Amino acid sequence: MKPEVIIVGGGITGLSAARLLSRKGVPFLLLESEAVLGGRIQSENHDGFILDKGFQILNTAYPEWANHDINLNALSLKSFASGAKIFQNGKVHTLADPLREGPVAFQALFSKSVSIKDMLLILKLRSKLNKQNNTEVFGMKKETTLHFLQQFGFSQAFINAFFKPFYAGIFLESELKTPVSMFSFVFKAFADGTAALPANGMQQFIKLISSELNDENIHLSAKVTGVQSGSVTIEGGSVVSAPHIWVTTGTQSFQGLQRKEWKGNHNTSVLYFSADIAPKWGKFIGLNANEGGLVNHFCMPSAVQPGYSPEGKHLISSSLRPGLAYQAGMENLVVDELKKMNAIQHPIAFLKAISVPLALPELDSMRFEPELIQLQEGVIATGDFAAYPSANAAMHAGRLLLETL
Ligand SMILES: Cc1cc2nc3c(=O)[nH]c(=O)nc-3n(C[C@H](O)[C@H](O)[C@H](O)COP(=O)(O)OP(=O)(O)OC[C@H]3O[C@@H](n4cnc5c(N)ncnc54)[C@H](O)[C@@H]3O)c2cc1C
């Protein structure tokens, strides 16, 4: 059947649009340049370990789950602990949500970097953001996260020990220059929901979202080299026509996608290790609150989802400080650092490092509702780069595309 819509790109934006088209019975063709679907969300099997392409989580409070009628039970999500272990000067302190983790939450007060005032400010911030919806959050005054936190009254010691490494793991930049709207969206999502992993790795989310699609509507290894009103050109020269063309490739691929808010991309590298004896931090994310060093944060995906490692083994993931890209030999330095921090007491064996060069778009201003960018008559582009860097924005963008039909 002649397609009504051609979707260029098979990441979350393209796939969520395809799923909605398929449910409506609209004929479409999805063209993906890689041999697999998923875009920036991928997992690989490495000797029985599941390695996600970069440290990624799904937040159970994302509004788009409901908007897309996605059954999260199908992912068998399990959650990280609500909080973090702060590793500083050879000591470790737990900072957690008292409502969910109980008395351990207050243990951070024994750390020099966490004062009662900082803890009370966290509660005040939570209550302030609770009263705002996401549209209001993205309408906040344009300022950096760092400026906002300082003005809110948090101590610099607390910002350095908690906010910087924790949000560097999400923003993929450690100066907290990301707009406060993104910070507030993520803070709210952590307060309302939990950070979770699917049973079989992040790739399971891609499998779920593409499970209703017909293989004949999807062409893999089909790189689109040109888009024009009414048709696209695929590498090799073939041309496919449709009245509607939706470009969901991210910022790089086509002219007109590099908007003024887009400043480049953040990269990330994650190193995976196997352990015979599980470290003590369990389901908590560990933060390196020391100055300098290679490690930003670390966690144990197999403590959250046992399927991430083979029986009797544990999977440790350690992300490098933003801006650092993995180079051969760094794994030894990372192990030394984890030992020095007192994060590991037993040997761990290096499995693999994964670097993601174009992980997140760097945007100096963000919006909740993804922009639909009209490239030409009938050609619309959108994605997380047209809103804010999150799978929620990508799903939202996919949904908005349907409204243009
Ligand atoms: C390391 C990392 C950690 C992250 N952590 C989180 C997290 O914890 N929580 C969260 O919500 N989000 C997270 N994100 C962000 C989230 O993954 C993205 O927002 C989302 O996957 C973007 O989806 P997309 O479809 O818009 O773009 P992409 O996934 O980039 O998809 C674009 C697709 O287009 C294809 N393509 C490109 N050019 C062409 C062409 N010329 N022809 C055909 N196809 C083409 C690409 O191959 C790709 O498949 C993270 C991302 C990374 C990389």
Side-chain angles (χ1 to χ4, degrees):
M1 207 189 302
K2 224 175 148 326
E4 184 76 16
V5 182
I6 294 173
I7 302 174
V8 187
I12 292 294
T13 305
L15 288 172
S16 29
R19 183 169 176 271
L20 295 174
L21 284 176
S22 162
R23 286 186 165 196
K24 278 187 111 182
V26 178
F28 71 92
L29 183 64
L30 185 149
L31 303 169
E32 164 56 50
S33 56
E34 298 298 317
V36 287
L37 293 172
R40 277 172 272 159
I41 297 185
Q42 306 281 339
S43 315
E44 64 176 74
N45 192 305
H46 182 98
D47 294 341
F49 291 89
I50 296 173
L51 310 185
D52 290 331
K53 189 177 169 187
F55 171 65
Q56 306 211 21
I57 56 97
L58 294 175
N59 193 295
T60 54
Y62 283 162
E64 287 304 315
W65 300 130
N67 293 335
H68 278 270
D69 184 26
I70 288 177
N71 176 10
L72 287 183
N73 291 334
L75 296 174
S76 311
L77 290 180
K78 286 195 178 152
S79 302
F80 282 96
S82 294
K85 299 259 182 198
I86 300 176
F87 288 79
Q88 197 171 34
N89 304 328
K91 295 197 175 117
V92 55
H93 294 284
T94 308
L95 178 68
D97 182 342
L99 302 179
R100 295 180 190 171
E101 303 298 336
V104 73
F106 299 103
Q107 202 249 337
L109 289 171
F110 294 102
S111 151
K112 277 191 194 143
S113 309
V114 186
S115 65
I116 291 185
K117 184 181 169 205
D118 290 313
M119 294 284 270
L120 290 175
L121 282 172
I122 288 262
L123 296 177
K124 186 178 162 194
L125 182 58
R126 190 175 170 153
S127 136
K128 173 186 154 71
L129 291 175
N130 239 342
K131 294 186 194 113
Q132 295 182 1
N133 62 34
N134 282 319
T135 310
E136 287 161 345
V137 156
F138 278 88
M140 280 165 86
K141 189 173 114 193
K142 195 180 162 192
E143 61 182 322
T144 66
T145 300
L146 179 61
H147 187 257
F148 171 83
L149 294 173
Q150 287 169 336
Q151 295 300 307
F152 204 76
F154 287 108
S155 70
Q156 197 58 46
F158 185 62
I159 292 175
N160 291 345
F162 173 66
F163 283 119
K164 280 197 173 170
F166 191 82
Y167 281 88
I170 297 163
F171 299 163
L172 306 185
E173 60 90 6
S174 44
E175 292 165 40
L176 298 181
K177 59 184 181 182
T178 296
V180 65
S181 49
M182 178 69 188
F183 165 80
S184 305
F185 169 77
V186 174
F187 188 97
K188 264 172 80 62
F190 277 118
D192 297 344
T194 55
L197 293 174
N200 300 311
M202 288 294 290
Q203 185 86 37
Q204 197 182 343
F205 172 34
I206 300 302
K207 284 202 179 128
L208 176 70
I209 207 158
S210 54
S211 60
E212 295 172 19
L213 306 182
N214 224 319
D215 283 352
E216 67 206 26
N217 298 132
I218 297 174
H219 288 192
L220 296 174
S221 306
K223 182 175 179 180
V224 171
T225 52
V227 284
Q228 49 277 322
S229 274
S231 67
V232 305
T233 310
I234 304 174
E235 199 169 53
S238 56
V239 174
V240 198
S241 305
H244 303 277
I245 293 161
W246 296 345
V247 178
T248 68
T249 56
T251 42
Q252 264 69 37
S253 310
F254 298 101
Q255 283 239 315
L257 296 182
Q258 296 86 5
R259 301 172 319 137
K260 64 176 185 342
E261 297 83 359
W262 179 68
K263 300 296 163 203
N265 293 286
H266 294 302
N267 63 348
T268 183
S269 287
V270 59
L271 281 70
Y272 286 107
F273 299 90
S274 153
D276 289 342
I277 301 172
K280 291 181 191 144
W281 19 274
K283 292 183 184 178
F284 278 92
I285 289 171
L287 304 178
N288 178 9
N290 301 296
E291 270 182 35
L294 298 177
V295 174
N296 184 72
H297 66 279
F298 44 91
C299 66
M300 193 168 24
S302 57
V304 177
Q305 282 287 10
Y308 268 69
S309 61
E311 189 98 25
K313 299 273 181 192
H314 308 277
L315 177 66
I316 294 175
S317 128
S318 177
S319 297
L320 297 184
R321 296 264 198 222
L324 293 178
Y326 170 76
Q327 289 172 22
M330 273 187 180
E331 60 273 18
N332 300 323
L333 300 173
V334 166
V335 172
D336 288 348
E337 234 177 275
L338 291 172
K339 274 188 199 155
K340 212 169 141 200
M341 271 189 255
N342 239 334
I344 51 166
Q345 283 82 29
H346 302 284
I348 58 174
F350 180 55
L351 293 170
K352 187 172 178 173
I354 297 181
S355 292
V356 190
L358 307 175
L360 297 181
E362 181 185 350
L363 306 169
D364 70 358
S365 118
M366 302 190 185
R367 42 187 284 154
F368 183 55
E369 180 143 301
E371 192 179 347
L372 297 176
I373 305 158
Q374 175 132 17
L375 295 179
Q376 292 174 48
E377 181 72 37
V379 183
I380 298 172
T382 193
D384 68 343
F385 72 96
Y388 55 97
S390 160
N392 190 69
M395 287 188 276
H396 193 167
R399 185 164 61 82
L400 289 187
L401 282 167
L402 264 288
E403 293 176 12
T404 67
L405 282 186

